[in-house]
Amino acid sequence: MNPAPASLHLVVGEEELLVERAVSETLAAARESDPGTELRRARVSELTPPELDEMLSPSLFSEGRVVALEAAQEAGKEIAEAVLSHARAPAEGVVLLVLHNGGGRAKQAKELPATLRKLGATVTECPRLTRPSERESFVKAEASRCGGRIEPAAVSALLETVGNDLRELASSVSQLVADTDGKVDEAAVRRYHQGKAEVTGFVVAEKAVMGDRAGALEALRWALRLGVPHVLIADALADAVRTIGRVASAGGGDQYRLAKELGMPPWKVKKAQSQARGWNRAGVTSAMGLVAELNGQVKGQAADADYALERAVLGLVELRAR
C-alpha cells in the first residue's frame, strides 16, 4: 500500500489544460493509495456551508475521496470560512483540492490562496501562457513528458502550424513523439501537418496580408468547408495585422534583436518584416480597425459570419494594394 496522499492541494491559475492535469494528477496520486478513490467536483459559489460539510465529511465505509472546489475566487465570506475550517482539520481519507484563478472580488476569496499556502497546501501554479517563449517552453516540456525531445526548428514549425491552443499543441506533440521514436525534427512536423495549415486560419491570414486575393479566398473557403470556427480565423487575421504593426513600428534590424524586444519568436519577426514591406502606417491602422470590427461580427453581431470573414479578407487585400 502506498503512503496516503497530501490532504490539501491548491491549484492557482487560469490555464485550463494545466488545471485539468493538476486535478487528474491529484486523483491519480490518491488512487495509488486507495484505488477506489472517487472524484467529486463542485463550484464554490453554488455550495452552502452545510453542503460543503457533507462533501468533506468522513465516509462511513472509509472510501477515499478527492473533492475539487472550482472557481474558489468566487467564494463569499461564509463558504470561504467553511473551506478554511476543513483545510485546517481535513477528514481522514478526504483530499481537498481548491481551484483558484488568483483573483477574486471579496476579501476572503482573494486571501484564500495565501491562507491555504500557510496551512501547508501542496501548490500547483497554472498561469496562462501568453508569451511565445512560454509556449515554446511548453512544447519542449511536452516532448520530454512524452519521453522524447523536439528540435528548436520543429518547435517553431509546430507553433506556426498549430497556433496557440495548448490542447492542440499537447496532442500534436504526443503523436509526433510516438511517430518518430522520440526525436522530433522540423521535417516530421511538416509531414504530420501537411494539408492542415489551413485549418488554423494562419494560411488565410498570411495570404490576405500579402495581397493574394485568390489564394486568400480559396484558403478561407477550404477552412470553412472543414468546419474551422469563425473565431479562430478572425483571430488569425487579427494576429497577422497586429504583428505587422508591431514589427513595422519597431523599425528594421536584426530579427533576433527585435524578437527579444517584442517578445516574439525570430521566425515570426522575419515573416512579419517581409509582410510589412507592402504596408504603410495608414493601411495598418485601417486594417486594425477592420479586424477589431470582425471580432464582434463573428461573435454574433453579423447575420452571416461566413460573409463577414470574406469581406474582411477582401478588405485586407484592398488595403495592402493601396
Side-chain angles (χ1 to χ4, degrees), residues 209 236-246 279 283-284 287-288 291 316:
V209 298
L237 292 169
D239 180 71
V241 171
R242 285 195 299 266
T243 301
I244 289 172
R246 291 183 65 195
W279 289 84
V284 172
M288 286 184 174
V291 294
L316 291 175

Side-chain angles (χ1 to χ4, degrees), residues 5-11 18-34 37-39 65-68 94-99 122-124:
S7 58
L8 180 60
H9 291 255
L10 170 66
V11 178
L18 303 183
V19 170
E20 286 305 312
R21 279 187 178 174
V23 174
S24 298
E25 289 168 2
T26 301
L27 179 60
R31 284 179 174 169
E32 287 183 5
S33 175
D34 178 359
T37 298
E38 64 174 351
L39 172 65
R65 195 182 321 144
V66 172
V67 177
V94 178
V95 175
L96 175 58
L97 176 60
V98 180
L99 311 181
T122 299
V123 181
T124 304

Side-chain angles (χ1 to χ4, degrees), residues 83-265:
V83 170
L84 291 176
S85 176
H86 284 281
R88 293 188 181 98
E92 184 177 353
V94 178
V95 175
L96 175 58
L97 176 60
V98 180
L99 311 181
H100 195 292
N101 72 1
R105 294 183 179 179
K107 178 181 178 183
Q108 292 79 9
K110 286 183 179 180
E111 293 177 348
L112 261 179
T115 306
L116 292 171
R117 290 175 193 269
K118 290 178 181 177
L119 292 174
T122 299
V123 181
T124 304
E125 302 282 355
C126 303
R128 282 207 182 280
L129 307 186
T130 58
R131 297 181 178 180
S133 59
E134 293 172 336
R135 289 189 286 270
E136 289 174 3
S137 296
F138 172 80
V139 170
K140 294 174 185 176
E142 277 299 295
S144 179
R145 186 173 184 265
C146 296
R149 62 183 180 82
I150 182 167
E151 296 179 357
V155 173
S156 296
L158 189 63
L159 289 168
E160 180 181 0
T161 304
V162 174
N164 299 331
D165 187 278
L166 292 196
R167 293 184 187 277
E168 287 190 29
L169 287 170
S171 175
S172 294
V173 170
S174 176
Q175 190 62 54
L176 283 163
V177 168
D179 291 347
T180 60
D181 294 325
K183 298 178 181 179
V184 184
D185 58 17
E186 183 179 3
V189 173
R190 300 296 183 191
R191 284 196 305 272
Y192 181 70
H193 288 282
Q194 187 174 12
K196 296 185 180 181
E198 290 87 351
V199 173
T200 67
F202 288 109
V203 167
V204 180
E206 182 175 345
K207 291 182 180 296
V209 298
M210 290 297 288
D212 182 354
R213 186 179 189 277
L217 288 176
E218 180 183 2
L220 173 63
R221 289 162 187 164
W222 172 242
L224 292 174
R225 280 201 301 272
L226 291 176
V228 181
H230 299 95
V231 172
L232 293 185
I233 301 174
D235 285 348
L237 292 169
D239 180 71
V241 171
R242 285 195 299 266
T243 301
I244 289 172
R246 291 183 65 195
V247 171
S249 298
D254 179 69
Q255 69 188 74
Y256 296 99
R257 177 184 62 79
L258 288 177
K260 186 175 182 180
E261 291 178 1
L262 299 174
M264 296 181 185

